[in-house]
Amino acid sequence: MTSHFQGIKIVEAELRVVSLPLISPFIVSNQTMTDKVFPLLILRADGVEGYAEAVMDPFPDYLEETIPGAMAFLRDLILPQIVGKSFSSPAELNQLLAPWRGHRMSKAVVEMAFWDLWCKTLGVPLKAALGGVRDAVPVGVSIGIASISETLDRIAVAQQAGYKRTKLKIAQGHDLALLEAVRSKFPDIKLTVDANTAYGLADLATLRAMDAFQLDYIEQPLAVDDIHDHAIVQRSIETAICLDESIRTPADCRKALASEAARVINIKVGRVGGYEAARAIHDVSAAFGAPVWCGGMLESGIGRAHNIHLASLPNFTKPGDTSSSIRYFKRDIINEPLEAKDGMMPVPMHGAGLGVTLDWAFLDAVTQSKERIAP
Ligand code: OSB
Ligand code: MG
């Protein structure tokens, strides 16, 4: 941009809570989701809109943040601080958010919507502004907890569709027998498991037994705040550990990799507070030689599109969780279908920024609440 660029004035914010029914319930070790409920933020500048969705759940079952808490934080504290002000870059906006502790999912939705607004103003795809290098990203599926026979059926469907990796949600008592059955039917597929913190050091024998199944990694076996005990487990097993919930900041990532608590990192831009943190985590991981992949939170097309742009960065070398939206929803809130083909998800490029547009009529039909924050 030229030196005339005065920044982008945010004239208004629109904050919605949206509820999209899931085609089938998604079950993980500590929660069951039947509808995907999420805050959707629209930031408006002169003739341009930026979109993002937040990834916290109605209850604090994945991490601490909740939708009711986020709505209060956004409506009463953060959005009144930024509406009516001008920002020349996402970094400048982040300076305003940085002093507040925690609330990373809430900060992320604001920062991500601004990135979209900024890129649309500059006329560049989000991918280009972020430093992405791919036009399509490799993706796999995340399969929720179900009976062994149902799980085998779902894997067969995903294999048929060409997905590049299968991740199975596991829990205490839903682990070794499941892996035995899956490996005997699918001996060669790229397979991972995600425990969503269900285990502890007392389960070391179970975790060690997973070495027999050629898993690409075991995702988040232990508690959210337990990098130390993950290092103990990583020393005792051959399979790589991948951290998800434990990595919220670039410093978390540095400590986890430096202490060899993990060898792979799951990056969710919505979990870590936005693209600035996500890119720093990507870079720290690359410095340690640790591959990263892009996680998901069952997002609608808006969050899904953000994830795909992020996953186009160079060190996202393992397949991400951003599979086709029709696996989750009968109908999405965006107009351009996000469909993977042979396990590759194209980066959406319908115009600048996020590269997708909202289906306003359907969005209104699935909106639970809507409020406007103006100066
Ligand atoms: O741990 O990655 C996780 C979904 C909800 C909460 C946590 C997680 C997940 C997934 C689904 O694994 C990923 C996706 O398909 O979006
Ligand atoms: Mg996970």
Side-chain angles (χ1 to χ4, degrees):
M1 283 309 283
T2 69
S3 56
H4 309 302
F5 187 55
Q6 297 291 304
I8 298 164
K9 184 172 182 185
I10 300 173
V11 298
E12 179 185 280
E14 182 177 313
L15 184 59
R16 299 185 181 221
V17 176
V18 177
S19 179
L20 270 183
L22 287 167
I23 289 171
S24 52
F26 193 84
I27 304 175
V28 312
S29 67
N30 59 354
Q31 68 162 310
T32 296
M33 208 185 284
T34 56
D35 301 270
K36 171 63 186 176
V37 185
F38 58 95
L40 179 76
L41 177 66
I42 300 164
L43 292 181
R44 296 203 168 90
D46 189 20
V48 191
E49 291 179 335
Y51 310 128
E53 73 180 86
V55 299
M56 70 290 288
D57 292 323
F59 291 91
D61 40 23
Y62 167 77
L63 286 172
E64 298 89 337
E65 290 177 78
T66 63
I67 293 175
M71 291 299 285
F73 182 69
L74 290 166
R75 176 205 309 120
D76 301 334
L77 298 173
I78 290 300
L79 293 174
Q81 283 200 334
I82 68 158
V83 173
K85 291 205 181 76
S86 297
F87 301 94
S88 60
S89 66
E92 197 181 320
L93 173 71
N94 270 326
Q95 284 174 14
L96 208 142
L97 302 176
W100 312 134
R101 296 184 192 279
H103 296 96
R104 292 193 176 82
M105 294 171 171
S106 291
K107 289 178 180 179
V109 75
V110 176
E111 197 240 36
M112 292 161 72
F114 185 78
W115 271 90
D116 184 26
L117 196 61
W118 189 58
C119 290
K120 283 169 175 163
T121 304
L122 299 178
V124 299
L126 180 55
K127 182 190 99 171
L130 291 171
V133 294
R134 281 180 269 269
D135 296 330
V137 304
V139 287
V141 294
S142 175
I143 295 183
I145 292 174
S147 69
I148 289 178
S149 72
E150 171 70 26
T151 303
L152 294 173
D153 291 347
R154 292 187 193 175
I155 297 172
V157 170
Q159 286 300 115
Q160 201 67 37
Y163 283 108
K164 294 193 183 293
R165 173 272 272 150
T166 299
K167 157 170 144 182
L168 301 176
K169 293 290 185 177
I170 56 168
Q172 298 270 0
H174 181 73
D175 41 36
L176 299 177
L178 172 76
L179 287 171
E180 198 77 60
V182 169
R183 268 304 181 215
S184 62
K185 185 134 183 230
F186 302 98
D188 300 319
I189 62 170
K190 188 185 276 258
L191 189 65
T192 74
V193 294
D194 186 356
N196 289 107
T197 77
Y199 298 89
L201 276 187
D203 304 305
L204 201 50
T206 303
L207 295 169
R208 197 181 279 127
M210 292 182 195
D211 278 341
F213 300 104
Q214 296 103 10
L215 302 176
D216 197 37
Y217 50 79
I218 300 174
E219 184 175 345
Q220 196 69 42
L222 311 186
V224 170
D225 57 0
D226 214 340
I227 285 174
H228 180 270
D229 284 357
H230 276 109
I232 294 176
V233 173
Q234 185 66 97
R235 277 202 292 281
S236 318
I237 66 175
E238 280 165 21
T239 310
I241 289 179
C242 168
L243 290 177
D244 172 353
E245 287 92 326
S246 289
I247 307 300
R248 308 196 225 192
T249 66
D252 289 340
C253 181
R254 172 178 59 79
K255 291 169 192 173
L257 293 174
S259 58
E260 295 178 49
R263 298 187 195 134
V264 178
I265 301 294
N266 166 331
I267 302 182
K268 294 176 181 170
V269 56
R271 180 191 75 223
V272 303
Y275 286 114
E276 187 174 305
R279 290 203 297 176
I281 292 169
H282 166 274
D283 294 351
V284 168
S285 300
F288 277 94
V292 306
W293 57 276
C294 182
M297 294 291 285
L298 315 183
E299 290 94 338
S300 84
I302 294 295
R304 211 163 278 274
H306 274 286
N307 291 341
I308 300 165
H309 281 271
L310 177 67
S312 73
L313 269 66
N315 195 34
F316 282 85
T317 51
K318 289 186 180 292
D321 270 348
T322 310
S323 56
S324 298
S325 132
I326 42 152
R327 292 188 62 246
Y328 304 90
F329 311 111
K330 268 213 189 85
R331 186 168 169 188
D332 204 340
I333 59 169
I334 59 171
N335 293 309
E336 303 75 16
L338 295 176
E339 298 291 333
K341 218 181 181 166
D342 300 324
M344 296 301 289
M345 177 66 86
V347 181
M349 288 290 183
H350 188 89
L354 196 51
V356 296
T357 58
L358 280 170
D359 176 344
W360 289 97
F362 184 61
L363 173 61
D364 283 344
V366 291
T367 293
Q368 288 186 332
S369 67
K370 172 172 139 179
E371 47 201 303
R372 232 166 255 275
I373 293 93

